[in-house]
Amino acid sequence: MTKSFIIAIDGPAASGKGTLARRLAAHFGLHHLDSGLGYRAVAKALLDAGLPLDDTAAAEEAARALDIGLLDRRLLSAHGVGEAASTVAVIPAVRRALVEKQREFAGMPPGVVLDGRDIGTVVCPEADVKLYVTASASVRAERRWREILAGGGDAEYSEILADVERRDARDMGRTDSPLRPAADAHLLDTTEMDIETAFLAARSLVEKALAARNGI
Ligand code: C5P
């Protein structure tokens, strides 16, 4: 049986990696997994149960009980849930439980796009294409802020920027699977790039990898 084709996309919050992942999956007919939803679902389970985010036993249990293919983005998209997710994401037992499920998903034929923080470095180091999508913290905070306002919410830009910086520090500074580009990742800086340009650049990298794999 041929090995499934894997595209790994990593990057910080609001870098545009999720949009890029969805577009690549639709274009190439691949399954898509937003791995951040798993961490968000674990955080939300603890918040809903009124438990502290450092309750490692409850967090691990919630992670083991998840079906990561069935999570609803809308229910987990709140900015505060993302913030709480980065707190439970430092717990090694939570990561082990979710990574096991993510690897299982990655084997789905004909292939997958996974996006997150540690896909190219830890979850699928053998991925066919690795992208690291980034942008300046101020541009990412502005995107998130506009998204919240467009959805009818209320937010202060300065608070969103502080959240983004705090989340970057937590994601890049943790001991287990910190956010960093894999040595063989292609860097895409979307600070001054619109999503269409980023998509075209990524599409051409994927086309090259597919051609190489098919020996063309
Ligand atoms: O990508 P998203 O903002 O939904 O991720 C929420 C949080 O989940 C991140 O800030 C990060 O702490 C954690 N996460 C992770 N590893 C992944 C995906 C997300 O640690 N592969």
Side-chain angles (χ1 to χ4, degrees), residues 17 35-36 39-40 82 85-86 89 95 116-119 167 171 174:
K17 66 184 187 314
S35 66
Y39 295 94
R40 284 173 179 261
S86 74
R95 303 203 70 84
R117 302 293 188 290
D118 60 343
I119 307 299
R167 189 121 74 94
D171 288 349
R174 68 182 174 223

Side-chain angles (χ1 to χ4, degrees), residues 119-211:
I119 307 299
T121 50
V122 174
V123 181
C124 301
E126 77 293 5
D128 297 270
V129 183
K130 296 182 189 177
L131 301 173
Y132 188 84
V133 188
T134 186
S136 71
S138 56
V139 162
R140 289 184 286 117
E142 186 174 340
R143 285 180 194 156
R144 193 42 58 82
W145 178 61
R146 289 190 189 286
E147 240 171 58
I148 294 172
L149 297 189
D154 186 20
E156 283 291 332
Y157 169 78
S158 58
E159 277 173 26
I160 302 292
L161 177 61
D163 281 355
V164 161
E165 288 174 337
R166 199 168 42 238
R167 189 121 74 94
D168 283 358
R170 211 179 278 140
D171 288 349
M172 294 174 186
R174 68 182 174 223
T175 316
D176 189 345
S177 317
L179 169 64
R180 59 178 176 81
D184 51 350
H186 300 276
L187 301 186
L188 271 181
D189 187 330
T190 66
T191 304
E192 290 177 22
M193 199 189 271
D194 62 23
I195 184 65
E196 189 58 25
T197 311
F199 170 68
L200 294 176
R203 188 181 75 182
S204 115
L205 290 167
V206 174
E207 280 165 352
K208 278 200 198 101
L210 278 169

